[in-house]
């Protein structure tokens, strides 16, 4: 049996079922379950249902209880980005101990309007807190360094993520960095081939599984550009990026648009833009003040209050 100190979650009386609502790592497993093989999915479902038990058993015992082989368990933890089962258990223990208040109930067809708003807000608030706690400071710092040195920035997103890409371009062009947003996959591929060393692509995708977007990022890297991905951990897109700012957000299946992931991606863009502004020093602050003055001049006067 692997040796690992037991770390008790904040509310042990709530039971394993409630821990799915309080752990960032469990939320990440839930978000990635659709990408796993059938046997690996069985491991994921066991971990989601009995996370406390997993902390105190060996890889052999887990494999036996799930009814799979030990290599299957190893593939499961590797798919999540961990080096081994001990590493996975340590992170699981830390995640359970951190107690993210991820409170939500999925919206159902029989819900009243009075019930819909709290559910949507609670899921979004919980997802934002979870992504906040997952955000890696080292990766964020690396992303800031790449952006502050960028000769050009291009933002790629398809469909709903294209809207986020446009929002990001609207923020970063004000920093004096030549920037553009592309939501058409054909345009992304062509534009990527024209990039040069020192340019940066920010690719945005909730699933990280869109082939055209992944190919555009591969072309960008072949051209010498750096790729920052805002996407799910362990996704195909994350594997072609130089820096990954992870957003592991499971969507409510009864909501008919990917809302929660979009808001999480917008928040990460805000964090990146504020961090770049702070790293750029007083000269950027002066430039931003000039752009604000331009906006003030376009407003109707007399309604400031």
């Amino acid at each position: 049996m692997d040796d690992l100190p037991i770390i008790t979650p904040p509310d042990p009386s709530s039971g394993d079922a409630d821990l799915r609502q309080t752990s960032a790592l469990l939320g990440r497993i839930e978000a990635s379950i659709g990408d796993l093989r059938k046997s690996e999915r069985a491991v994921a479902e066991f971990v989601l249902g009995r996370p406390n038990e997993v902390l105190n058993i060996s890889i052999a015992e887990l494999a036996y209880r799930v009814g799979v082989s030990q290599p299957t368990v190893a593939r499961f933890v590797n798919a999540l980005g961990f080096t081994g089962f001990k590493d996975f258990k340590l992170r699981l223990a830390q995640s359970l101990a951190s107690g993210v208040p991820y409170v939500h109930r999925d919206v159902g067809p029989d819900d009243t309007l009075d019930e819909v708003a709290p559910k949507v807000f609670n899921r979004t608030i919980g997802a934002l807190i979870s992504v906040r706690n997952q955000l890696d400071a080292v990766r964020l710092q690396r992303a800031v360094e790449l952006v502050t040195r960028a000769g050009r920035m291009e933002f790629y997103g398809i469909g709903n993520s294209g809207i986020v890409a446009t929002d990001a371009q609207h923020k970063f062009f004000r920093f004096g960095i030549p920037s553009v947003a592309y939501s058409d996959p054909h345009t992304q591929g062509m534009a990527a081939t024209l990039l040069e060393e020192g340019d940066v692509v920010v690719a945005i995708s909730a699933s990280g599984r869109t082939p055209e977007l992944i190919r555009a990022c591969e072309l960008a890297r072949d051209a010498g550009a750096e790729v920052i991905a805002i996407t799910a951990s362990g996704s195909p897109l994350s594997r072609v990026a130089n820096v990954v700012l992870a957003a592991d957000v499971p969507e409510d299946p009864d909501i008919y648009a990917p809302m929660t992931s979009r808001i999480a991606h917008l928040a990460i863009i805000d964090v990146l833009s504020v961090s770049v502004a702070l790293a750029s020093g007083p000269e950027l602050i002066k430039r931003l003040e000039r752009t604000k003055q331009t906006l003030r001049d376009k407003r109707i006067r007399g309604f400031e209050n």
Side-chain angles (χ1 to χ4, degrees):
M1 181 178 295
D2 298 323
D3 294 327
L4 184 76
I6 299 173
I7 302 178
T8 305
D11 184 12
S13 63
S14 62
D16 281 346
D18 289 339
L19 292 177
R20 293 181 63 175
Q21 313 299 325
T22 61
S23 167
L25 178 54
L26 294 184
R28 175 176 159 191
I29 294 172
E30 194 172 25
S32 63
I33 200 167
D35 299 328
L36 301 173
R37 301 175 185 176
K38 184 177 180 180
S39 57
E40 295 167 6
R41 195 174 305 134
V43 180
E45 290 170 351
F46 186 95
V47 173
L48 289 171
R50 305 174 185 177
N52 268 333
E53 289 186 29
V54 174
L55 294 180
N56 300 301
I57 60 178
S58 67
I59 186 172
E61 179 66 17
L62 177 58
Y64 174 77
R65 294 194 190 185
V66 178
V68 298
S69 66
Q70 291 186 45
T72 296
V73 178
R75 285 196 302 270
F76 163 73
V77 299
N78 289 337
L80 292 172
F82 296 103
T83 58
F85 190 58
K86 284 187 177 181
D87 181 33
F88 169 73
K89 288 209 300 183
L90 179 59
R91 288 292 299 275
L92 177 61
Q94 292 170 340
S95 183
L96 294 177
S98 68
V100 179
Y102 189 84
V103 180
H104 84 277
R105 292 178 298 157
D106 288 341
V107 174
D110 298 326
D111 287 337
T112 65
L113 291 180
D114 289 339
E115 294 173 312
V116 169
K119 288 184 178 182
V120 172
F121 272 97
N122 288 344
R123 171 174 273 272
T124 301
I125 292 167
L128 286 173
I129 293 173
S130 178
V131 171
R132 179 200 67 186
N133 289 355
Q134 294 175 48
L135 197 60
D136 189 298
V138 174
R139 293 180 179 181
L140 177 61
Q141 179 61 38
R142 176 60 178 155
V144 170
E145 292 170 355
L146 293 178
V147 172
T148 53
R149 297 198 305 262
R152 176 181 176 84
M153 291 188 71
E154 295 191 350
F155 298 90
Y156 298 169
I158 296 175
N160 189 68
S161 296
I163 300 171
V164 181
T166 300
D167 178 83
Q169 188 272 339
H170 183 69
K171 288 181 171 65
F172 280 89
F173 90 93
R174 292 180 292 176
F175 294 174
I177 306 172
S179 59
V180 64
Y182 295 120
S183 58
D184 177 76
H186 298 292
T187 305
Q188 290 169 357
M190 290 186 291
T193 63
L194 302 176
L195 295 172
E196 299 177 351
E197 186 174 347
D199 294 338
V200 172
V201 167
V202 178
I204 305 156
S205 172
S207 69
R209 300 194 304 269
T210 307
E212 296 87 351
L213 180 63
I214 294 168
R215 180 55 182 157
C217 291
E218 291 173 340
L219 292 171
R221 291 199 61 174
D222 290 343
E226 306 277 353
V227 175
I228 300 170
I230 300 176
T231 189
S233 301
S235 65
L237 176 59
S238 72
R239 291 194 283 270
V240 302
N242 299 95
V243 180
V244 179
L245 301 178
D248 297 309
V249 180
E251 289 289 354
D252 186 337
D254 293 317
I255 296 179
Y256 304 105
M259 293 185 290
T260 307
S261 60
R262 170 177 52 83
I263 294 172
H265 294 163
L266 288 169
I268 291 175
I269 290 292
D270 284 348
V271 170
L272 182 60
S273 64
V274 171
S275 300
V276 169
L278 292 173
S280 299
E283 287 302 317
L284 177 59
I285 302 301
K286 293 178 182 178
R287 184 183 297 123
L288 293 176
E289 181 58 34
R290 289 196 296 270
T291 63
K292 286 184 179 180
Q293 184 58 50
T294 301
L295 294 175
R296 292 191 192 103
D297 293 342
K298 296 182 181 298
R299 294 180 179 139
I300 298 174
R301 299 187 182 278
F303 291 88
E304 289 81 357
N305 296 325

